[in-house]
Amino acid sequence: MTKDPLTKAWIWLVVLSAGSAVVAILVSMGVDRRIAGAMILSLALLKSRTILSQYLGLCNAPFWRRGMNIALAVFCGLVFVLYLVGGTTA
């Protein structure tokens, strides 16, 4: 395995994207859309944290990384609540 953190981050992003594809397949098999929405949002949160930490270099600035993680978590929580309140179509 490689020791380059950017390569590891890229591989992690590919794995998370594959997870999103699996969730999409599960929806076509009848999984509740609210659960799928939560899973997709969680995967997006992990992807954004990876990008900010590794590609923007926040892994070297723990204070800023913690602040961005909190902001992302609050934003994702708000988006999920709005998703549940708004309902789903189809």
Side-chain angles (χ1 to χ4, degrees):
M1 193 73 182
T2 181
K3 293 188 180 204
D4 180 30
L6 292 181
T7 304
K8 287 181 182 180
W10 181 80
I11 292 169
W12 182 237
L13 290 171
V14 169
V15 168
L16 292 170
S17 295
S20 298
V22 168
V23 172
I25 292 169
L26 291 175
V27 168
S28 69
M29 295 171 60
V31 171
D32 186 12
R33 290 180 184 268
R34 292 173 293 188
I35 294 171
M39 293 169 67
I40 291 289
L41 195 57
S42 297
L43 291 169
L45 176 63
L46 291 173
K47 288 168 69 172
S48 63
R49 290 181 64 202
T50 300
I51 291 168
L52 288 171
S53 181
Q54 297 301 320
Y55 289 101
L56 268 57
L58 289 182
C59 59
N60 299 322
F63 174 79
W64 290 105
R65 183 179 57 197
R66 189 176 315 113
M68 289 303 295
N69 286 341
I70 291 169
L72 284 170
V74 168
F75 178 74
C76 285
L78 177 64
V79 168
F80 186 63
V81 167
L82 291 173
Y83 173 71
L84 291 178
V85 169
T88 58
T89 57

